[in-house]
Amino acid sequence: MLTLLQRPQIKTTLAVVFLLLFCWQHLWHAANLSRSYLYAGLRHYGWLMARRELLGWEALSGSNVDVRYRPGDYDLALMVLRTAEELYPQVWEETGHLPRERAIIAIYPDRASLRAQFGWQQGEDALGVYMAGIIRLLSPRAWIPGSSLQEMEQRFRSQGPLAHELSHFVLDYATAGNYPRWFSEGLAQLQEYRLTGYLWLEPGPPVEDNPYSFATVNKHLDRPNHQARAYRQSLLMVAHLEELTESTGGLAGIIAELARGMPARLAIERTTGMRFGQWELAWYAWVQDPGNPWRLMPATNSILQER
């Protein structure tokens, strides 16, 4: 008597299933490579356009970082370069990836010139923006007026956006853009806090007491009335992931999966050992735990760093 697996129709069905799985793996890999190459190509095009804009600017170069600046800002450029050279190795070591590309930092003398790069309106401001391989910074003179160079350097190191933007740069090149925005913003804030002590919080209801669903947190990152809370939740989501994955490679393990093209949900499930929905429920419990050291941590200041 034939066993179940010996029956011709069952053997045929199993063969078809295995063939589909084999093809799906290769098609998924090919699709991911195509997406990565397309993203890298578009990013490189944006980088070339930015380089054209920076032609004629003054330049300083360090080990891994190039700084572009306007004439007369040599002292500021040197200060930015020193800070970047100090922070950059710590940023990439935590993520487990050193980009082959050099980080390019452009210093804009005033808010109007920085706004013009993105078509922003009056009132739309940032101290720093990462886009297409270029980090654009507002000159410290524009937001730390009347200070000596030494005082300016101290505030720039502790409150400036450089660690945050370097984190965006490294993650973007490590994963070819394969990450959800909340992960990038949460990682950047975590590294910024760890390296400089800066923590962005605004007055208002704490997100810990009324969090967004994981499916909606991204869309709140650009909504003025929700932005600070959405950024705060992104930080807490990444901090919890780091705690959950401490024994499986930490955040560098998640980034490695993203670098291989793994969708973020699957990368998180693989490294935490939890279904995505289970992690969301576990995070809600964690973030509301009175013993959580991150809960309602007081703000160090409230300077707006991104749009």
Side-chain angles (χ1 to χ4, degrees), residues 89-201:
Q90 301 174 75
V91 170
W92 69 256
E93 284 171 7
E94 283 198 351
T95 60
H97 178 82
L98 174 61
R100 293 191 301 271
E101 297 77 7
R102 295 174 63 81
I104 298 178
I105 301 171
I107 304 174
Y108 290 78
D110 51 50
R111 297 180 187 277
S113 60
L114 183 58
R115 284 191 203 111
Q117 301 306 309
F118 305 100
W120 294 350
Q121 304 301 313
Q122 184 74 22
E124 291 183 286
D125 287 315
L127 299 187
V129 180
Y130 166 76
M131 181 177 290
I134 307 290
I135 295 171
R136 293 176 169 86
L137 297 182
L138 178 64
S139 169
R141 284 202 178 99
W143 58 276
I144 316 175
S147 301
S148 68
L149 189 62
Q150 183 179 8
E151 293 170 334
M152 194 178 298
E153 183 163 2
Q154 289 174 346
R155 283 196 62 186
F156 181 71
R157 284 174 178 271
S158 63
Q159 299 176 4
L162 199 45
H164 190 106
E165 304 309 331
L166 285 168
S167 178
H168 285 322
F169 169 81
V170 171
L171 180 66
D172 192 41
Y173 276 95
T175 65
N178 181 36
Y179 53 81
R181 188 176 169 200
W182 63 260
F183 184 81
S184 182
E185 296 299 349
L187 176 66
Q189 290 176 87
L190 182 62
Q191 291 198 292
E192 182 176 39
Y193 176 65
R194 193 169 281 154
L195 297 177
T196 71
Y198 178 94
L199 187 65
W200 178 33
L201 290 175

Side-chain angles (χ1 to χ4, degrees), residues 60-72:
L60 279 175
S61 294
S63 300
N64 300 291
V65 178
D66 296 324
V67 176
R68 300 287 186 269
Y69 62 98
R70 300 288 179 83

